[in-house]
Amino acid sequence: MLIEFSFKNYRSFRDEAVLSMEATGLGAFKNSIIECNNTKLLPGVAVFGKNGGGKSNVIRAFWLAVQFIKNAQRTQHESSEIPVIPFSLNDYSFSQPTRFDFNYVLDNTEYWYGFSAVREKMVGEYLYYAPKGKKALVFEREGQDFRFTEEKSKRTLISKAVAKNQLFFSVACTMNDPACVGAMRWFRECVFFSRDYSDIPAQLIEYSEDKNMLGAISEYAKAADVGIEDMRFEMDNKEITDDMTLPDQLPEGIKTFFIQFLRILSETSNNSETRLNMGHMTAKASHLGKNGAGEQCLYELDLSDESDGTRKLMALSPAIESALRKGGVLLVDEIERELHPALVNYIISKFQSKNTNPRGAQIIFTTHNTELMNLELLRKDQIYFADKNAADGASELYSLSEFSTRTTDNVRKGYLIGKYGAVPNIDIEEVI
């Protein structure tokens, strides 16, 4: 479970931005709060803001940091630059480090991990944990100078193998350092994204290993379109009918199908079914209809005949279900894209309800859907804003909780008239 994420000097954010998942003690929706080691955590956060204000960069920062942490030992060769993108609207931030910090809990152990870097080298890095409830140092680093309080001989040996453009954390995991391996599990197993970005090469869809996900895709398809009764998956003319009969270790062919299928689903072009057929695989939805005698029958439609919204929710479903099943964190940029507001509420409510979210999963998403500000689904401390300063071009991230608001205040109306910032400064012509 995520407690806090912060970053500094990344893209449009020059100064530190902090996204806290700690509840602020408000009374609304108490049953949705996650109890974790005597800390009350939020099951979700919505980030609002105008176009170009920086809200997507919050998700980008999280994504870049996680991908780099997971892959630094493989991607960072001698001459490889660290893929940080510092703030560029001044003459000094480019030479200053970009920083990412995470505070999270896994298996009742709290962790604090972070690193700072310029393109050529790591500037700083640290990992603390509290296996017995008391915060303890695993390692700390300034440049190529390392400090340890435990396992000094082994970790000193590991540090000799860490290049200036690599993370000690990632390298130590390849050498089976227990504390680092335990801390890394959260990044590898518990963080999910709805899309990839182009900062570094896209990663494989990790939840393709889950044999139950085809069933989850079918269920979300039914939720998106009341006319869909079932989904049928076929590969090389062999129907995949019962996900429970699939082996624990999925064959490479099925994994390849699943990965390609999810990628095609996330696109909106109408040639998706053609591409699936070219790969010797098909996916069809069964819809209720009536025959000439007026009797209800099932008729199959190709994937390309389904709406963009239906396909979008189907593409999101593995990430949603993976987060819910593992108690992980899901990050979604522009959650309402191609989705009806009711489907957005459907996704958010899965994280807000203890019935569908017993393991304490969390969702962080950006949105323009101001209907969510009516506080019928989210609490005040679940609403964040990202705004860009017109004078210096720097974005800032702040919470609605930082404003003095009463329970009777119309937050949506206040936002639209500019009370909280993060709205476009435009003049709308009067229509006569």
Side-chain angles (χ1 to χ4, degrees), residues 67-126:
Q67 297 301 331
F68 186 71
I69 290 165
K70 290 161 54 175
N71 299 290
Q73 82 282 2
R74 293 191 292 108
T75 60
Q76 294 307 106
H77 305 296
E78 288 182 6
S79 58
S80 299
E81 286 191 337
I82 299 170
V84 293
I85 303 177
F87 183 75
S88 59
L89 299 183
N90 60 31
D91 59 359
Y92 56 87
S93 290
F94 186 81
S95 60
Q96 295 179 346
T98 297
R99 196 187 79 225
F100 304 98
D101 300 277
F102 296 87
N103 179 199
Y104 58 95
V105 175
L106 179 65
D107 296 336
N108 295 317
T109 298
E110 188 170 356
Y111 294 91
W112 298 260
Y113 174 73
F115 71 91
S116 57
V118 293
R119 286 182 177 256
E120 299 78 22
K121 62 180 180 179
M122 303 304 306
V123 175
E125 187 185 4
Y126 67 88

Side-chain angles (χ1 to χ4, degrees), residues 145-164:
D145 295 326
F146 298 84
R147 185 168 70 90
F148 316 105
T149 55
E150 302 173 348
E151 304 276 352
K152 289 185 178 181
S153 299
K154 179 180 179 180
R155 289 173 179 159
T156 299
L157 186 63
I158 294 172
S159 70
K160 303 299 183 183
V162 179
K164 67 177 184 178

Side-chain angles (χ1 to χ4, degrees), residues 111 127 129 138 150-151 154-155 158 169 172-185:
Y111 294 91
L127 174 64
Y129 73 149
V138 177
E150 302 173 348
E151 304 276 352
K154 179 180 179 180
R155 289 173 179 159
I158 294 172
F169 187 27
C173 286
T174 66
M175 298 188 180
N176 296 318
D177 182 285
C180 291
V181 169
M184 180 64 80
R185 281 186 51 234

Side-chain angles (χ1 to χ4, degrees), residues 301-322:
L301 292 180
D302 290 340
L303 184 65
S304 56
D305 293 322
E306 300 300 335
S307 71
D308 290 344
T310 299
R311 289 168 52 189
K312 173 67 180 290
L313 186 58
M314 291 167 67
L316 277 173
S317 61
I320 297 169
E321 285 300 302
S322 293

Side-chain angles (χ1 to χ4, degrees), residues 239-287:
E239 187 174 357
I240 305 172
T241 56
D242 182 2
D243 60 332
M244 297 307 294
T245 65
L246 294 176
D248 290 330
Q249 298 297 321
L250 296 181
E252 285 300 316
I254 294 180
K255 283 193 285 187
T256 301
F257 156 70
F258 195 22
I259 291 170
Q260 293 184 26
F261 174 67
L262 289 172
R263 285 177 174 163
I264 291 170
L265 268 181
S266 64
E267 300 172 1
T268 57
S269 58
N270 61 9
N271 68 344
S272 57
E273 187 66 20
T274 301
R275 292 180 57 190
L276 281 172
N277 283 329
M278 286 176 60
H280 307 291
M281 45 191 143
T282 60
K284 295 180 182 289
S286 298
H287 289 255

